[in-house]
Structure formats: C-alpha cells, structure tokens
Amino acid sequence: GQNIDQPTEMTATEGAIVQINCTYQTSGFNGLFWYQQHAGEAPTFLSYNVLDGLEEKGRFSSFLSRSKGYSYLLLKELQMKDSASYLCAVVDSNYQLIWGAGTKLIIKP
Amino acid sequence: ETGVTQTPRHLVMGMTNKKSLKCEQHLGHNAMYWYKQSAKKPLELMFVYSLEERVENNSVPSRFSPECPNSSHLFLHLHTLQPEDSALYLCASSQESASGANVLTFGAGSRLTVL
C-alpha cells in the first residue's frame, strides 16, 4: 500500500528553527507538496519539490531526497503565527495525491 | 470575493435530514474537488470535477451526492448521514484539469456534525 509518515505533533520555541520530516512509500513519484493549515482555516500551498535538493522561500525551506523517500520542511526564525498543521502530500505514478495525516506544530514563547 | 468560498461554515444535522454544502471559486479554475478531513487522519478525496464533468468518485457512499452546475460552483448534497460522517468537508480548485500534480486552492471548509 501507499504510505506517508510524518510526526503527529511537534513543539518549538519562538525564534528557533524546526524541521518537520515526511517519509513516503508510494507507487512512483511525481512530486511532493507541503501545505500549511491554521486551525479552522483553509490549507494553503507552501512548496512543491520534484527534484532532489533544497528549495528556499524566505523563512521556509523544503528538501527532497527521492532515493530515500524523504522530505523535510525547515522553518527558521519561528513566529507565533507559524503554529499550524503542516500537511505533506506525494503525487504517485498515476498522478493521484497521497496525503499524510499532518504535523501539528505548537510554538511556545 | 476572491479564492474559494464554502457555505455554511458549520452545520449540525440529524441522521434523517437533507442538507447541502456549497462551494464557489472565483479563480477561473477548471477543476474542483471535495475532500473529507477527519481529526488526525489524511485528507480523503471524495469527488473530482474537471470542466464540470465528474472524473473521479472514490467509492463514496451514495448518501453523499455531488453536483457541479458550472465551473465555478460545486455542491455536496447530504442525505441520511451517519454520525461517523461528522468531519470537516473541504472544497478545493486547481487551474488545470484534475491531476494530483496541480496546486490546490482550498476553501476554509464546512464543519459537519451528524447527531
């Protein structure tokens, strides 16, 4: 079967750095998405990786290793507004989107 | 309004009621989706419409009935639901025809509680 694993919950301190991991086992690979979802709000697109390596967008970076079936989202200079759930999703060989259960990130002052 | 708008935001219904969820997108996108989001579970794709034609139905019970009258509007008609159907129902749209590789724009969801 197809599987996406990410930690259920993480806690970090304001101003610090946090890395949210996502490992996947899917039938083929055509890209990996990260979405952010604040409580009671719509998920919003953060990043899309299809090639290996690190992509940086301001305070957020996303890394992909296709050979390891692994991605991470790196959040720097954490702010209280970064408290949210982070959803990892992989596009499989049939261009179906396979979702992880999400990681709830709690930021403490 | 811009983006994807869902109404109502909250809905409580009995198991014998009939209700509908509405989704409207103002982005000129060609594909629209219904997802179910339950606590601590992955998003479950329910239905996909591309240019107003249903292209996917992921073995969803018939008590959920979608309708897409045009490319901007999507409905989810609900009938004789079960308590386990209580969840957040998310609508999404994407610019290109339905494919998992497209960036999705989501609405804020309709929180459904079935008593």
Side-chain angles (χ1 to χ4, degrees):
Chain A
Q2 310 208 81
N3 193 50
I4 310 286
D5 284 318
Q6 44 181 140
T8 303
E9 187 173 298
M10 298 181 70
T11 302
T13 304
E14 190 177 15
I17 299 173
V18 71
Q19 178 176 311
I20 302 174
N21 296 326
C22 172
T23 57
Y24 61 89
Q25 293 153 332
T26 57
S27 56
F29 178 85
N30 280 300
L32 185 145
F33 286 95
W34 284 98
Y35 283 82
Q36 179 191 58
Q37 185 179 23
H38 286 102
E41 297 184 16
T44 56
F45 168 76
L46 285 178
S47 66
Y48 175 67
N49 293 66
V50 66
L51 299 176
D52 291 350
L54 184 69
E55 293 202 6
E56 298 184 65
K57 271 188 194 179
R59 295 188 299 114
F60 291 16
S61 302
S62 55
F63 172 82
L64 174 67
S65 170
R66 288 172 296 171
S67 63
K68 295 182 179 177
Y70 168 67
S71 172
Y72 66 74
L73 184 68
L74 190 70
L75 289 72
K76 300 178 183 176
E77 301 169 17
L78 285 169
Q79 302 176 9
M80 297 304 292
K81 67 178 181 180
D82 297 329
S83 292
S85 289
Y86 292 85
L87 311 179
C88 173
V90 172
V91 185
D92 72 7
S93 58
N94 294 318
Y95 287 89
Q96 303 295 309
L97 197 54
I98 313 301
W99 294 86
T103 298
K104 182 178 180 180
L105 178 63
I106 299 168
I107 308 298
K108 295 187 174 179
Chain B
E1 288 196 56
T2 58
V4 179
T5 304
Q6 291 188 242
T7 54
R9 291 294 310 276
H10 299 273
L11 178 63
V12 179
M13 59 187 288
M15 292 167 60
T16 58
N17 291 158
K18 286 185 183 180
K19 297 286 184 183
S20 295
L21 306 181
K22 178 183 176 183
C23 176
E24 187 173 358
Q25 59 100 356
H26 310 272
L27 301 166
H29 286 174
N30 290 324
M32 296 187 77
Y33 310 73
W34 279 117
Y35 277 94
K36 177 182 179 182
Q37 186 175 37
S38 302
K40 299 185 179 180
K41 289 186 176 180
L43 288 178
E44 297 175 49
L45 180 63
M46 300 176 72
F47 301 103
V48 182
Y49 279 82
S50 180
L51 297 172
E52 301 155 42
E53 286 192 22
R54 190 191 306 180
V55 296
E56 190 157 345
N57 171 1
N58 275 6
S59 303
V60 178
S62 59
R63 57 186 183 268
F64 295 90
S65 174
E67 179 190 0
C68 188
N70 56 61
S71 59
S72 298
H73 293 85
L74 187 64
F75 295 88
L76 188 62
H77 304 298
L78 315 170
H79 177 50
T80 59
L81 296 189
Q82 305 297 312
E84 60 264 29
D85 297 322
S86 298
L88 182 67
Y89 289 85
L90 290 167
C91 175
S93 67
S94 65
Q95 187 167 19
E96 304 300 327
S97 59
S99 163
N102 294 319
V103 175
L104 297 172
T105 301
F106 284 90
S110 294
R111 172 69 63 186
L112 173 66
T113 303
V114 181
L115 301 176

